Amino acid sequence: MLQLETWLPYRLFRISTRVADVLNAFYGPKYGFSRSAWRTMAIIANRPGASAKEICQAGGLDQFSVSRAVKQLVELGFARRTSGRSDRRYAAIELSESGWAAFTEISNVAKRLDADLTSAVSSEELALLDGILARLDNASAGILARGWRGATEPVADEPGAPAAKRDA
């Protein structure tokens, strides 16, 4: 039986959620925007002029969430949207001056939270974890590409797996 507390995706989710909750408690009341808006802001800061589609891909967000987040950031004065000259449906999104100031302040808090979290392990363990997380990220991309049906097919090392899969 699956034990949620020992299931790696859940354990990673709990760690992420706890830290995100603390960060949200800072920027939510101070700046008045949502988690999706924060993630969108962070993506725009690292990819000035990104389109909504690019933000979706970079942040693992759906089109509706990004659209609402961009609207919120624009209405609050933290971002501006510039429509494309040849295609009015395309819009490049950039942070405004106040958006950059907010991003910088929130980033400083985020970096302190990251330092608090990573201080629980040695620098050697952190380097090892970084490599492990990179491999897990790649594995999760493969899982996403295969979809849930891929999880129902026998694994190559399992008894009953087709010989071609075992030998691959």
Side-chain angles (χ1 to χ4, degrees), residues 86-106:
S86 61
D87 186 351
R88 305 296 287 167
R89 295 171 297 175
Y90 175 86
I93 300 124
E94 294 183 328
L95 295 182
S96 65
E97 192 173 314
S98 63
W100 277 110
F103 174 75
T104 300
E105 185 174 19
I106 297 165

Side-chain angles (χ1 to χ4, degrees), residues 3-146:
Q3 296 293 317
L4 192 60
E5 296 78 19
T6 60
W7 188 49
L8 181 61
Y10 181 71
R11 293 173 74 190
L12 295 171
F13 168 78
R14 280 187 20 209
I15 294 166
S16 173
T17 300
R18 287 176 184 146
V19 176
D21 286 348
V22 172
L23 189 60
N24 181 267
F26 170 72
Y27 66 73
K30 183 163 186 165
Y31 294 107
F33 52 75
S34 66
R35 282 183 194 205
S36 294
W38 160 244
R39 194 179 320 173
T40 298
M41 175 184 266
I43 293 165
I44 295 167
N46 287 277
R47 294 173 174 85
S51 69
K53 183 178 181 179
E54 292 165 336
I55 295 167
C56 289
Q57 291 169 344
L61 294 164
D62 61 81
Q63 188 77 28
F64 181 73
S65 296
V66 169
S67 178
R68 281 185 31 192
V70 168
K71 182 177 188 233
Q72 188 177 47
L73 291 171
V74 168
E75 287 175 353
L76 291 169
F78 295 123
R80 59 183 161 270
R81 184 183 349 203
T82 307
S83 296
R85 291 181 185 160
S86 61
D87 186 351
R88 305 296 287 167
R89 295 171 297 175
Y90 175 86
I93 300 124
E94 294 183 328
L95 295 182
S96 65
E97 192 173 314
S98 63
W100 277 110
F103 174 75
T104 300
E105 185 174 19
I106 297 165
S107 293
N108 289 336
V109 174
K111 287 187 263 186
R112 286 195 298 274
L113 294 172
D114 186 61
D116 284 350
L117 186 63
T118 57
S119 70
V121 296
S122 70
S123 56
E124 293 81 16
E125 290 170 319
L126 193 56
L128 183 61
L129 178 61
D130 188 52
I132 292 168
L133 289 174
R135 291 194 306 275
L136 290 173
D137 188 41
N138 287 337
S140 70
I143 290 168
L144 179 63
R146 288 187 304 280

